[in-house]
């Protein structure tokens, strides 16, 4: 899982810039989403930390941020893709609170997108975060 500094920066950026749907993050929970409405979930599936120097306590955390956009099943598919592109643009090649966000994936689309009550698209943003401890 990502460090608290990474989670704080990513979720603060989302809260400040994403107003299309409620956000459910790791730390930022916000108002509970309407069970029948769209929402954005932010997850941190992987993070690895390495020490960059023996003489200095400088570390590099590298990982991925997974954004899952869940839409009602009857939502317009073109609008879904537009929202996924807009979300990716919020993080593409940006420094977000000291977290260097890299190039997001395109939305994952396969047979499992429409399982359950929602149609979900996920975008993963790789990141690098360097810090002193």
């Amino acid at each position: 899982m990502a460090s608290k500094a990474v989670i704080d920066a990513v979720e603060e950026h989302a809260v400040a810039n994403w107003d299309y749907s409620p956000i459910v993050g790791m730390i930022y929970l916000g108002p509970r989403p309407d069970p029948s409405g769209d929402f954005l979930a932010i997850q941190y599936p992987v993070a690895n930390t390495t020490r960059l120097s023996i003489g200095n306590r400088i570390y590099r955390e590298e990982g991925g941020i997974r954004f899952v956009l869940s839409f009602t099943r009857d939502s317009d598919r073109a609008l879904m893709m537009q929202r996924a592109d807009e979300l990716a643009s919020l993080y593409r090649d940006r420094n977000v609170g000291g977290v260097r966000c890299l190039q997001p994936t395109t939305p994952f689309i396969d047979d499992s997108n429409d399982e359950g009550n929602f149609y979900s698209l996920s975008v993963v943003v790789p990141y690098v975060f360097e810090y002193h401890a």
Side-chain angles (χ1 to χ4, degrees), residues 94-106:
R94 295 187 187 268
N95 186 326
V96 174
V99 177
R100 188 166 33 115
C101 297
L102 306 174
Q103 299 78 35
T105 63
T106 55

Side-chain angles (χ1 to χ4, degrees), residues 6-21:
V6 169
I7 294 170
D8 286 343
V10 168
E11 294 184 8
E12 286 172 12
H13 188 71
V15 168
N17 294 286
W18 184 259
D19 58 4
Y20 299 114
S21 60

Side-chain angles (χ1 to χ4, degrees), residues 32-90:
R32 298 294 291 164
D34 176 350
S36 62
D38 303 344
F39 66 95
L40 168 64
I42 306 173
Q43 303 168 341
Y44 307 88
V46 64
N48 296 300
T49 302
T50 55
R51 189 170 183 168
L52 297 180
S53 170
I54 303 238
N56 296 316
R57 296 181 62 185
I58 302 172
Y59 299 87
R60 174 180 291 142
E61 177 181 319
E62 296 178 282
I65 308 153
R66 182 174 184 242
F67 297 93
V68 182
L69 289 160
S70 293
F71 300 92
T72 57
R73 292 175 67 85
D74 61 346
S75 294
D76 178 83
R77 301 295 163 97
L79 180 61
M80 291 181 201
M81 294 301 294
Q82 177 184 334
R83 294 290 184 245
D85 287 346
E86 291 167 357
L87 178 63
S89 293
L90 287 179

